[in-house]
Amino acid sequence: MIKNCIICLVLLVSTIAFSQRNTSSPYSFYGLGEIKFKGTQSSRAMGGLGIEGDSVSLNLLNPASYSHLKLTTLGIGGTTTFANFYNESTSENAKNTGLDYLAVGIPMGKFGASFGLMPFSAVGYNISNTEEDEFGIQTIKTASGVGNINRFFIGGSYMFNKNLSVGADIQYNFGAIETKSNERISNIQLQSRELNSSRITGMSLNFGALYNRKITDKHSLYASLTYAPEAKLNSENERNLATVTYTANGTEVVNDSEDVPVNNTDMVIPSKLAVGLGIGERNKWMVGTEVTFQNNSKLVNRFDDFTGGTYEDSQKYVIGGYYIPKFDSYTSYLNRVVYRAGFRYENVGLVIKDKSIQDYGMTFGLGLPLGFSKIDLGFEYGVRGTKYYNLIRENYFNISVGLSLSDKWFKKRKID
């Protein structure tokens, strides 16, 4: 009964949280928006490393990990982001909170399964720009956008032996994005407005393999491989043009409005390959690295008449690990805590004004044990973009909290 209540509460909270805006990045203007991290808070605290399977924790980055589970596990996590955006002349601050994942993992002997919901990408920006011509007439342009693409996934895994497991996820992506741009001449109240909306749906896949092998009496080698083939999302697009005015309290008043036909587009989720390698001592420590290659040059925009940024293939490099002083200590709780840290560097694949946009960050975190369950805390400081070339640099700080509830949920009754 208690478990059912917990699940219902989590589903209610997740339904609300997944529909809320969870980014303020101006770079979410491009493509499908800001691509969100797909792992749990324990992986995020190691820079995004996900090369190891665990018996009581989910690894959502590699579906081959599901068969490593020994207990049924419910995982939920969220992140609050504090961001500062600035260029060579001005700066702004923003704060956003969003749900990162809601997932359940189920062990079935050599098999394992998982299903859940997580955000794939998010759009949330508000940009203003003023231009002045040779006659001193100012044109004020504003652009804003909001929306999410979420992902429901279900996957399975099979463990061939104690060293090798493979798995796959089937993913359904769905969501809506709305963007608005206004243009007006200073001292003139009447504005032109363009409103674009897209409903996005489509399927995708993710395959994975995990391998570990003892190389000494204490130490093990860990290897990870994931591959997501290119997928197509259908974007059903609508556009409305209007002349508008705004009241003193900001209410929009539409004067003339016209729906303009626009083409639907096929959006691309580029293929992605990640290879990881690490070494460690079971229940003691692990350090590893992972490299991800993504064919982002295949990215397209939702509307054919968009001429902003371009795209290139991207790479991400991660190094991270964890340390547990003594996992079975009876005398010191701090000795059972998992201490994590990591670093990541990424060329995100977006090119603006011939400048490649980069994103890098440092992470650390704590895994606080609660019996077989645990609370994961993570902290991340990162930088995206540049303030030069009239672009925007983001300094952000993330605080992440994850809850992992593990228990033997399916027990055979001895007495009816």
Side-chain angles (χ1 to χ4, degrees):
M1 179 67 181
I2 294 176
K3 291 173 185 173
N4 291 336
C5 291
I6 292 174
I7 293 174
C8 290
L9 178 61
V10 167
L11 289 173
L12 176 61
V13 172
S14 66
T15 301
I16 298 171
F18 275 115
S19 64
Q20 294 180 345
R21 167 174 166 171
N22 57 7
T23 183
S24 295
S25 173
Y27 295 111
S28 68
F29 174 88
Y30 301 92
L32 292 169
E34 179 187 345
I35 305 302
K36 310 300 288 185
F37 179 65
K38 306 301 187 299
T40 62
Q41 311 303 21
S42 57
S43 295
R44 182 193 284 264
M46 296 186 290
L49 191 68
I51 64 173
E52 185 183 14
D54 192 274
S55 61
V56 294
S57 298
L58 290 167
N59 174 2
L60 300 179
L61 294 173
N62 192 324
S65 66
Y66 305 153
S67 55
H68 288 247
L69 290 170
K70 302 302 181 186
L71 298 175
T72 302
T73 300
L74 168 68
I76 182 172
T79 297
T80 296
T81 299
F82 303 88
N84 173 251
F85 309 99
Y86 65 98
N87 56 20
E88 294 174 318
S89 59
T90 186
S91 66
E92 294 288 343
N93 295 319
K95 173 186 173 184
N96 290 286
T97 299
L99 196 63
D100 293 329
Y101 58 90
L102 169 65
V104 175
I106 304 171
M108 296 177 289
K110 287 191 174 184
F111 290 91
S114 182
F115 62 91
L117 185 67
M118 64 176 64
F120 172 75
S121 68
V123 173
Y125 61 87
N126 197 335
I127 304 171
S128 179
N129 183 46
T130 301
E131 300 176 354
E132 186 173 315
D133 63 16
E134 64 271 22
F135 302 105
I137 299 175
Q138 291 185 333
T139 300
I140 302 168
K141 298 179 180 180
T142 61
S144 61
V146 65
N148 295 275
I149 300 176
N150 295 317
R151 168 175 285 177
F152 173 79
F153 72 92
I154 182 168
S157 171
Y158 178 73
M159 182 176 290
F160 288 96
N161 51 51
K162 63 180 182 179
N163 302 120
L164 177 65
S165 62
V166 298
D169 282 331
I170 300 174
Q171 304 156 341
Y172 176 68
N173 306 277
F174 61 97
I177 298 173
E178 183 175 281
T179 59
K180 181 169 66 173
S181 59
N182 289 54
E183 183 174 331
R184 69 181 178 89
I185 298 175
S186 59
N187 300 321
I188 296 179
Q189 189 178 18
L190 192 66
Q191 304 183 28
S192 63
R193 186 208 66 187
E194 180 180 302
L195 185 65
N196 293 309
S197 61
S198 301
R199 292 184 298 275
I200 298 172
T201 57
M203 305 292 294
S204 56
L205 297 169
N206 186 38
F207 302 96
L210 285 174
Y211 179 80
N212 69 85
R213 186 179 185 87
K214 275 203 168 187
I215 54 177
T216 70
D217 289 341
K218 289 186 176 181
H219 302 130
S220 296
L221 180 71
Y222 300 94
S224 170
L225 175 71
T226 59
Y227 175 70
E230 181 180 303
K232 294 288 182 66
L233 305 182
N234 177 252
S235 178
E236 297 182 2
N237 302 319
E238 296 179 355
R239 174 173 291 171
N240 178 267
L241 300 179
T243 56
V244 299
T245 56
Y246 289 88
T247 63
N249 62 3
T251 302
E252 183 180 82
V253 179
V254 178
N255 298 293
D256 297 298
S257 175
E258 180 181 358
D259 291 327
V260 178
V262 289
N263 294 327
N264 295 334
T265 51
D266 286 331
M267 307 293 293
V268 175
I269 299 179
S271 61
K272 181 169 67 173
L273 173 68
V275 181
L277 192 66
I279 188 172
E281 180 180 343
R282 182 176 175 82
N283 295 324
K284 185 68 175 180
W285 63 271
M286 190 273 291
V287 62
T289 185
E290 193 168 22
V291 183
T292 303
F293 305 94
Q294 188 156 2
N295 196 14
N296 277 350
S297 58
K298 293 288 190 71
L299 284 171
V300 296
N301 298 299
R302 292 181 297 124
F303 294 90
D304 298 330
D305 54 0
F306 173 75
T307 58
T310 59
Y311 304 98
E312 63 182 1
D313 293 343
S314 67
Q315 307 84 36
K316 181 169 68 172
Y317 305 92
V318 168
I319 184 170
Y322 66 81
Y323 173 70
I324 309 172
K326 189 176 182 182
F327 82 97
D328 57 354
S329 174
Y330 290 101
T331 58
S332 173
Y333 180 80
L334 293 179
N335 282 342
R336 302 198 305 272
V337 171
V338 185
Y339 301 89
R340 303 185 178 99
F343 174 81
R344 61 172 177 79
Y345 169 83
E346 182 178 6
N347 171 16
V348 302
L350 175 62
V351 181
I352 306 175
K353 298 182 179 179
D354 297 322
K355 179 66 176 177
S356 296
I357 303 302
Q358 299 170 345
D359 189 347
Y360 57 90
M362 297 177 292
T363 62
F364 64 96
L366 302 172
L368 307 176
L370 301 171
F372 290 121
S373 301
K374 64 174 181 172
I375 297 175
D376 289 309
L377 303 178
F379 308 90
E380 178 180 21
Y381 174 76
V383 177
R384 182 188 294 121
T386 175
K387 69 177 181 179
Y388 303 108
Y389 310 98
N390 200 31
L391 297 176
I392 296 174
R393 172 169 168 157
E394 302 178 27
N395 291 348
Y396 56 87
F397 181 71
N398 293 328
I399 300 177
S400 301
V401 180
L403 178 63
S404 180
L405 299 173
S406 299
D407 200 355
K408 193 169 184 179
W409 287 14
F410 305 103
K411 299 178 183 179
K412 185 181 291 186
R413 292 185 180 182
K414 293 183 180 180
I415 300 175
D416 289 330

